[in-house]
Amino acid sequence: MSEKASYDIPTPHGGYHSRGGESESLGLTHTPRRASALNTIVASVALLFILVSQVWSTYWRFKLPPLEHVPSNGSEGVARLPFMGFNTWNAYHCDINESIIVENARLMETLGLLGAGYNYMNIDDCYSEKKRSPEGDIVAHKTRFPSGMKALTNEIHQLGMKAGIYGDSGWFTCQLYPGSFQNELRDARLFQLEWGFDLLKFDNCAVPFDHIIREGIVGKYQRMADAISQVSKEPGKLPMVFSLCQWGREQPWLWGKRFSQSWRTTGDIEPTWRSIASIINQNSFITWASDFYGHNDMDILEVGNGALTYEEEKAHFTAWALMKSPLLIGADLASVSKEALEILKNEDVIAINQDPVVGTAISPFRWGINPDWVSNETHPAQYWSDESANGTVFMLLNTLDEPADMFFNLTESPWIRAGRKYSVRDLWSHSENGTAIRNFTAQGVPAHGVIALLLRDAGDEPEALEPPCVRPEWCMDQNGTLIESGVSNSHLDL
């Protein structure tokens, strides 16, 4: 099924439109000679109507508090860890209905995915009618969802899962169903209070004209965040999890956590290695942004969609999980392969994604093929690490099109202590693989493959190992002798 890497572990080392040109401010035509009490009343009513319209049209713009005073939804106690679950888009696009949702929700349980932590069933675009109701509400599609959304979320909840819904910050969704612009509070109430959803994925299509919105992307998303927060003030309600889907536009890793628990960092994923590598590359420079209550969202998983090799799917899943992205399955569970399920249910890897003690993501400590901090869409960084509740996590990513040996000094990672030895656990074979001292080599890592390790401190390394410092930069004896590569080069007077 897959090529296995072997290990080499060395031990000794607004305005208004007017008509015509007469009395343009009201659009009325009259002359002073024919003015009457009736005309005065009509004009007054018109003025009052315009004033009320003006106030109403600017309601949203002026009701929101200054940006710095808007609370982060994360501070309100939802989605401390990356959410896990299922999303309909990658497998079904617009071909969805309530039967598909219920079938996949039940399969999440019977296939053991719910038990592995995947507890959200998220409905993406195309679930509604094309027009709102006469009262102004979004309406569930009468043919695809004949039982209605409340019945659907009830069934999902009865399975022990949470339910997610999709919306858009513009006039329409990306597939031209009703968006939420100027209906944020109405829709937030509908989604959570009437339909019973727990999460909202919020897209970035059908953007209103500048003279209408008069906001940048931050203000555009703030509207719905404020509405979600207002709805959550209902007794017994927590905010819906708010998942921004703005494709990395305007650097959401700088501001997304003010309003949401996750934010998309790139354009849409595709089931190709080139797409996977590109997303890893782009995220390698912003790993610092992920922590408790706020996570870089690398998009829906492509594991199980048939276009990636087994090794590529393992690498894809490992990178998403260890970089603390939300994990949303995007495959048809009725036909998913045994191998894809094994990948999706890897408890050791999921445990790092859901670490309750350390919320940060793995980051590169060495780029490998490229000089450090150099962007390369086809060959992203190869050597990664982070701390965890149970040890230091490492990810070695072979970005080459052929097998390769991968070597590093343990102390290249900032989370490793010099002069110590470490036990090595392989997070894919689920096996203990001896003790690493100073260095580690993974031999024959498959093309586009991955090695995921958990290293735990196992005590002092053996005495009198040479060289005295694995990292030679400024290695010095206490007598002032500078030692590089095990050779005494000079003596400094201290």
Side-chain angles (χ1 to χ4, degrees), residues 373-445:
W373 302 103
V374 171
S375 176
N376 187 325
E377 290 197 348
T378 57
H379 294 80
Q382 295 184 284
Y383 296 86
W384 306 63
S385 74
D386 189 35
E387 55 186 341
S388 80
N390 297 308
T392 303
V393 182
F394 285 87
M395 180 178 77
L396 312 182
L397 186 68
N398 180 14
T399 62
L400 299 175
D401 298 333
E402 59 188 14
D405 295 346
M406 301 188 71
F407 167 90
F408 65 95
N409 297 131
L410 301 190
T411 53
E412 288 185 76
S413 165
W415 313 114
I416 291 291
R417 298 168 60 192
R420 308 286 287 180
K421 59 186 177 181
Y422 286 82
S423 65
V424 180
R425 179 173 177 79
D426 187 310
L427 302 184
W428 280 104
S429 68
H430 313 292
S431 61
E432 303 299 330
N433 291 274
T435 303
I437 300 175
R438 296 194 169 190
N439 307 318
F440 184 91
T441 300
Q443 295 182 329
V445 182

Side-chain angles (χ1 to χ4, degrees), residues 148-255:
M149 288 299 181
K150 184 58 176 175
L152 181 58
T153 60
N154 283 344
E155 187 158 1
I156 292 171
H157 290 148
Q158 287 168 8
L159 290 170
M161 303 178 70
K162 297 181 180 181
I165 194 65
Y166 169 94
D168 197 285
S169 59
W171 297 117
F172 304 97
T173 71
C174 297
Q175 300 300 314
L176 301 183
Y177 292 84
S180 290
F181 182 67
Q182 295 183 340
N183 286 282
E184 287 86 355
L185 185 56
R186 172 189 291 273
D187 291 352
R189 288 184 175 280
L190 176 74
F191 294 149
Q192 185 171 16
L193 302 183
E194 298 181 33
W195 286 358
F197 285 98
D198 308 288
L199 175 150
L200 174 61
K201 172 183 175 180
F202 212 49
D203 222 326
N204 192 36
C205 292
V207 180
F209 293 163
D210 291 356
H211 76 276
I212 295 175
I213 192 167
R214 300 188 187 279
E215 290 284 3
I217 197 167
V218 175
K220 184 156 69 88
Y221 276 96
Q222 179 180 336
R223 298 166 67 101
M224 180 54 87
D226 187 73
I228 291 172
S229 185
Q230 186 170 336
V231 171
S232 73
K233 292 178 171 57
E234 298 278 339
K237 292 293 181 183
L238 286 172
M240 284 188 292
V241 175
F242 194 27
S243 176
L244 309 188
C245 183
Q246 35 37 260
W247 329 310
R249 303 296 191 266
E250 282 69 62
Q251 304 175 86
W253 43 89
L254 299 179
W255 52 269

Side-chain angles (χ1 to χ4, degrees), residues 92-110:
Y92 303 104
H93 297 282
C94 277
D95 296 328
I96 58 172
N97 56 56
E98 63 184 46
S99 296
I100 286 174
I101 307 302
V102 171
E103 179 186 17
N104 279 283
R106 290 172 178 167
L107 285 168
M108 294 277 281
E109 182 180 32
T110 59

